[in-house]
Amino acid sequence: MWARVGLLGSVGLGSMFWSQKNKTEVSPYELKLIQVLFRHGARTPLKSIPDVFEAQWVPELLEAPAHTEMDYKVTDLQGGPRPPSPVEESYRAKILTGGTYPGQLTTLGMQQLYDLGVKLRKRYIEDVPFLTSSFSPKEVYIRSTNIVRTIESAKCLVAGLFQQEQAGVVPILTDKAENEVLYPNYYGCKLLKLLSGPRWTESSTLPDIAADLRSIQSALGVDPHQHLDFILIRDDMVARETHGLPVPTALEHWRNTVEKRAVDMVCHIYEPSKRQIVKMCVGPFFNILLTNIEDKVQGTTSNPDRKLFLYSVHDTTLMPCLMALGVFDMKWPPYAADITLELHQHRQTKQHYVKVSYIGQDQKIPGCSDVYCPLNEFKEALAVYSLPDERYQALCNSTEDQLKL
């Protein structure tokens, strides 16, 4: 009897694998290009909640696992020397209790990005043999914000994706701070600062948010005159929780409120219903993503072998991107969250389609007739947010009165 069950089981299993394999082979869509925007991994907090006991952020929490190492080089967008990083310098002007700097990728964060790389390997090398199994700079383009945690996150993802196999040094490209478009650039874009600056200040004074903030400050025993907001509280709380470090007891009762109010603040700051601020946050980046797709479709790219674009970014990048795509779920993107854009071509009709996923879940974009979104529909959905560089620069240097978005 056992032999029969075993035989039936193995036949059943075999037929299941056969049908899965067959299903893959007869997919009407052929993958042509992948673009992945991913948040860095777990890190030390940017600031500690004042007046509460501090977690010990010791250097041992930041040690790089050997399997995440790659031979890499950070350059500017033209391949020249890496630009200065005023953001990183601002982190390194402070030291957290325990002796490490704020905003640094931890061992756990490195592993999270390595694991994301392994997932991408399964999807694009093992299940569908689209990428070659070792890193090739002709095939893969990597761009990061010029901050150590995103640069290291990119390296760890590539280590997982290619299992540390590389044909040549891994180039990680960055731009100078004033030109950065991979996050909302309040310093490089005067108009964005003008539009969103007052909303940042307002966001903590909205009646419901302010009432909850007063209650939580009191529960934590934080001096009412200390500057505190829900984004800062959430940042420290999640960093502690993720690394198994002690969290103030009072926060446990407030955890869901902190999550909700931090997102409420972001929604007030970006004001997605009006488009204007979100457009200035994501416009030039969307233009890059659409240009990459268009170059592949038209065959106008100077790198015909390129199959994968990787962009190492931040939660403040992903949230306005999700808002602009119409799929923001009102939850803060976790460490190592990714938005993946796949370009496909229908094998029979030769029409192109774009499929968007967020943390592994396919998304149906508003304005698209299906998850596999016809390219013209996808371009139309993004057109209201996409900004060519010259237009973005002109808007950045304009005032609110001159604005015609």
Side-chain angles (χ1 to χ4, degrees):
M1 178 184 167
W2 288 112
R4 240 176 82 203
V5 170
L7 181 64
L8 283 170
S10 63
V11 168
L13 202 61
S15 65
M16 184 179 83
F17 283 137
W18 180 85
S19 66
Q20 280 182 340
K21 189 180 174 196
N22 221 33
K23 200 171 157 188
T24 305
E25 283 172 3
V26 297
S27 165
Y29 300 101
E30 185 184 359
L31 187 57
K32 292 292 181 182
L33 185 72
I34 311 156
Q35 302 187 80
V36 187
L37 297 54
F38 53 93
R39 187 185 177 199
H40 56 77
R43 54 157 170 75
T44 59
L46 300 179
K47 285 182 183 169
S48 295
I49 301 167
D51 296 346
V52 301
F53 71 86
E54 297 201 9
Q56 294 293 315
W57 294 101
V58 294
E60 289 73 21
L61 289 169
L62 273 61
E63 288 169 1
H67 61 270
T68 65
E69 295 296 357
M70 293 289 283
D71 185 11
Y72 74 102
K73 182 183 181 187
V74 184
T75 71
D76 67 12
L77 296 184
Q78 286 71 44
R82 179 187 171 188
S85 177
V87 178
E88 193 62 45
E89 284 162 25
S90 75
Y91 296 145
R92 285 164 194 256
K94 307 178 193 84
I95 294 185
L96 298 168
T97 306
T100 56
Y101 297 121
Q104 302 306 302
L105 193 68
T106 61
T107 309
L108 182 58
M110 295 170 200
Q111 186 63 43
Q112 288 172 328
L113 268 295
Y114 180 88
D115 291 345
L116 178 57
V118 169
K119 277 184 203 160
L120 296 174
R121 179 181 181 84
K122 183 171 184 341
R123 201 179 311 156
Y124 301 121
I125 294 174
E126 293 168 5
D127 292 353
V128 176
F130 181 66
L131 300 170
T132 49
S133 60
S134 68
F135 174 83
S136 158
K138 282 202 290 190
E139 199 172 80
V140 184
Y141 173 96
I142 308 160
R143 180 170 168 183
S144 172
T145 62
N146 190 14
I147 296 171
V148 171
R149 67 176 173 272
T150 44
I151 291 166
E152 289 181 346
S153 291
K155 175 206 71 168
C156 294
L157 183 148
V158 171
L161 175 54
F162 296 107
Q163 294 296 289
Q164 297 178 291
E165 295 286 325
Q166 54 188 122
V169 176
V170 175
I172 301 177
L173 279 59
T174 60
D175 205 354
K176 46 189 184 196
E178 60 269 31
N179 294 346
E180 187 60 84
V181 296
L182 298 193
Y183 53 66
N185 194 336
Y186 305 106
Y187 303 100
C189 181
K190 283 190 293 188
L191 179 67
L192 186 55
K193 192 173 184 182
L194 194 71
L195 292 171
S196 60
R199 299 191 69 81
W200 263 101
T201 313
E202 268 173 27
S203 62
S204 286
T205 64
L206 300 171
D208 291 351
I209 293 179
D212 280 342
L213 190 56
R214 281 192 298 274
S215 302
I216 202 167
Q217 272 188 271
S218 168
L220 287 167
V222 174
D223 186 313
H225 302 295
Q226 282 276 20
H227 170 72
L228 194 61
D229 64 48
F230 280 108
I231 293 174
L232 185 160
I233 296 170
R234 185 195 178 280
D235 189 72
D236 191 10
M237 177 182 82
V238 171
R240 292 179 189 228
E241 284 177 348
T242 305
H243 295 92
L245 295 173
V247 174
T249 317
L251 268 185
E252 288 167 20
H253 169 68
W254 287 92
R255 199 189 185 295
N256 292 343
T257 306
V258 170
E259 286 286 353
K260 181 181 182 322
R261 292 307 186 200
V263 172
D264 289 345
M265 281 182 71
V266 164
C267 287
H268 182 76
I269 293 158
Y270 293 148
E271 204 180 10
S273 60
K274 287 203 179 160
R275 283 196 195 150
Q276 197 179 59
I277 293 174
V278 172
K279 186 168 184 168
M280 295 307 295
C281 290
V282 304
F285 193 9
F286 272 21
N287 187 60
I288 290 169
L289 299 173
L290 286 170
T291 302
N292 292 342
I293 288 171
E294 204 57 34
D295 283 347
K296 182 56 95 170
V297 169
Q298 302 299 336
T300 49
T301 173
S302 52
N303 299 287
D305 297 330
R306 186 138 298 149
K307 293 181 175 182
L308 174 64
F309 287 89
L310 294 172
Y311 296 99
S312 189
V313 296
H314 304 264
D315 47 8
T316 51
T317 316
L318 295 188
M319 283 189 280
C321 284
L322 292 165
M323 288 172 184
L325 289 166
V327 294
F328 184 50
D329 59 5
M330 295 300 287
K331 290 179 185 158
W332 201 281
Y335 298 126
D338 71 289
I339 301 173
T340 297
L341 278 64
E342 295 176 353
L343 174 69
H344 295 260
Q345 187 174 30
H346 197 280
R347 294 177 197 274
Q348 270 72 49
T349 66
K350 302 302 177 192
Q351 295 298 308
H352 287 89
Y353 294 81
V354 176
K355 183 158 77 78
V356 177
S357 64
Y358 176 53
I359 320 182
Q361 296 294 310
D362 289 347
Q363 305 291 319
K364 185 172 175 293
I365 305 301
C368 287
S369 47
D370 192 14
V371 166
Y372 281 90
C373 183
L375 181 56
N376 60 332
E377 290 179 10
F378 184 75
K379 288 199 294 194
E380 209 169 297
L382 265 62
V384 289
Y385 291 102
S386 178
L387 281 172
D389 198 49
E390 314 74 56
R391 177 78 180 127
Y392 171 71
Q393 295 300 341
L395 286 168
C396 281
N397 293 320
S398 65
T399 64
E400 209 168 347
D401 298 335
Q402 298 167 325
L403 194 61
K404 293 281 183 289
L405 277 182

